[in-house]
Amino acid sequence: MRRRSFLELGALFAAASITGRAGADDLADLRRAGVLRVGVSDDYAPFVKAAGGVRAGLDVDLAQRLARALGVRVEYVPFKWPDLSARLEENGFDVAASGVTMRADRLFFGTFSRPYAITGAVTCIRREDAARFADPSTLNAPGVRIAVNRGGHLANVARAFFPRATLELLGDNSLLFDRVTTRAADAAVSDSAEAHAAAKPELALLPPLTRDRKALYVRRDAPALACRLDEALFAYENDGSLARLRRKWLGDVTPAGWNPHLEAVLADVQLRLDLMPSVGATKRALGKPVEDKEQEARVLARVGDAARAAQLDVASVEALWRVLMSAAKVIQLAPVITTAAPTTLDALRIAIGGLDAQLLSTLKDAVPRVPEPDWQKGVDAGIRSELLPKELVRRLADALAGVRRAQRKAS
């Protein structure tokens, strides 16, 4: 089953359309127009950086390659990070390719491709201040000034990790490191790829705060385009061309033992988990119980049908989803405050349905390509699970490996 079919199934999961344009063939429309409109920030090296009227970066090379595969030309459309989701939802461009971090709150405005790179949020300080700021926690203090790009993922990271510090939200990300070298700020929050590209001898990096997956961010009403882009990324991983782009632009920042097919599965799982605080908050606001046996039964039935159509072992896939639903309920019951924009239960179920559909697709791709022991290591390294008991995390890894075991027995 191709990814487009999975995305269409995702709409059925929520009993609503995920495309927003019934019957439209978005990819055919794009090819007739002859142009792929790519949203770019122009200030985020090494993904996209504009200087002297020339754009360069990993995402520029990738966009050109994807446009050739589609048989169209690229038209770059600049955006500012605070406006990214709104611009995409308003059809300002077809896809954002600018080192976009996969975040659950962005699923209400667009869909993500499989991840093509991993970075981590890092804090950058003056090397002479290494004793003063021995680790990231020492920056979380009154009087400490921290610069960060306004409106993007890293601003959220800075707010979460440094609530006691004074944040300077920059409208021009290219000024970020200069704020530290000129002593206008004590530190800057960047990511490992950007910091690698802008390396300065007078600056030092503290250990990463996060593990962030970068992906293409596609219009919600363009499922055929999303399908085709994912197919292309899958092919580029298999022929080594994406690995060459990562080496060219990111240097040696890919985690050791990184398997892109495993990472695609973990990305979908993580996004599903990250939606659950919003689901719990929405249910509480509506006076609904967290556990909904009828909804769980509907999800399991549809996942089973999709697994059967994809020629995946139905029993092992259903077992995986039972673990995912157990994890979802644990997170929904946790007394946490969601930071996601207010939404409806229907909108959340549409987003979850789309993720379930995509997870089945990435799982099918990964099962023959990820050795069984790597599932546990991958979950341990690649899933943020602060609210989940260790036993449930272990069960999640075992359920993922169980799909591979069942497929190998069947073959």
Side-chain angles (χ1 to χ4, degrees), residues 9-216:
L9 177 67
L12 295 176
F13 275 34
S17 172
I18 198 169
T19 67
R21 290 196 306 159
D25 190 336
D26 57 272
L27 188 54
D29 290 346
L30 184 144
R31 283 173 167 150
R32 277 192 293 269
V35 60
L36 177 68
R37 298 171 303 151
V38 178
V40 288
S41 67
D42 284 345
D43 64 354
Y44 191 17
F47 294 99
V48 181
K49 177 70 174 178
V54 177
R55 286 185 178 89
L58 189 158
D59 285 21
V60 175
D61 286 358
L62 181 58
Q64 294 288 349
R65 177 181 284 268
L66 291 168
R68 286 195 300 271
L70 292 170
V72 299
R73 64 181 176 85
V74 174
E75 177 185 311
Y76 293 107
V77 183
F79 68 81
K80 296 295 185 183
W81 284 106
D83 305 325
L84 169 58
S85 291
R87 291 287 303 281
L88 187 69
E89 187 180 35
E90 294 165 358
N91 195 24
F93 35 83
D94 302 306
V95 56
S98 211
V100 178
T101 300
M102 301 177 79
R103 281 183 3 205
D105 59 303
R106 288 174 170 162
L107 291 169
F108 303 116
F109 308 97
T111 60
F112 288 113
S113 71
R114 61 193 297 125
Y116 59 85
I118 295 181
T119 65
V122 294
T123 43
C124 178
I125 61 172
R126 291 181 291 276
R127 196 171 295 278
E128 64 192 65
D129 288 338
R132 178 186 174 197
F133 301 121
D135 61 69
S137 66
T138 57
L139 292 164
N140 186 31
V144 176
R145 300 158 301 167
I146 302 176
V148 65
N149 183 38
R150 178 172 59 91
H153 166 67
L154 294 172
N156 290 344
V157 172
R159 292 188 187 97
F161 280 88
F162 309 116
R164 302 178 65 201
T166 299
L167 300 185
E168 180 187 10
L169 302 176
L170 302 179
D172 184 352
N173 197 50
S174 63
L175 302 175
L176 187 66
F177 299 104
D178 289 340
R179 300 299 290 171
V180 183
T181 57
T182 61
R183 299 181 178 276
D186 297 300
V189 176
S190 178
D191 76 24
S192 53
E194 183 180 38
H196 173 82
K200 296 175 181 282
E202 63 269 41
L203 298 179
L205 297 181
L206 298 180
L209 302 167
T210 63
R211 180 189 178 97
D212 301 325
R213 299 172 177 95
K214 304 299 184 179
L216 303 174

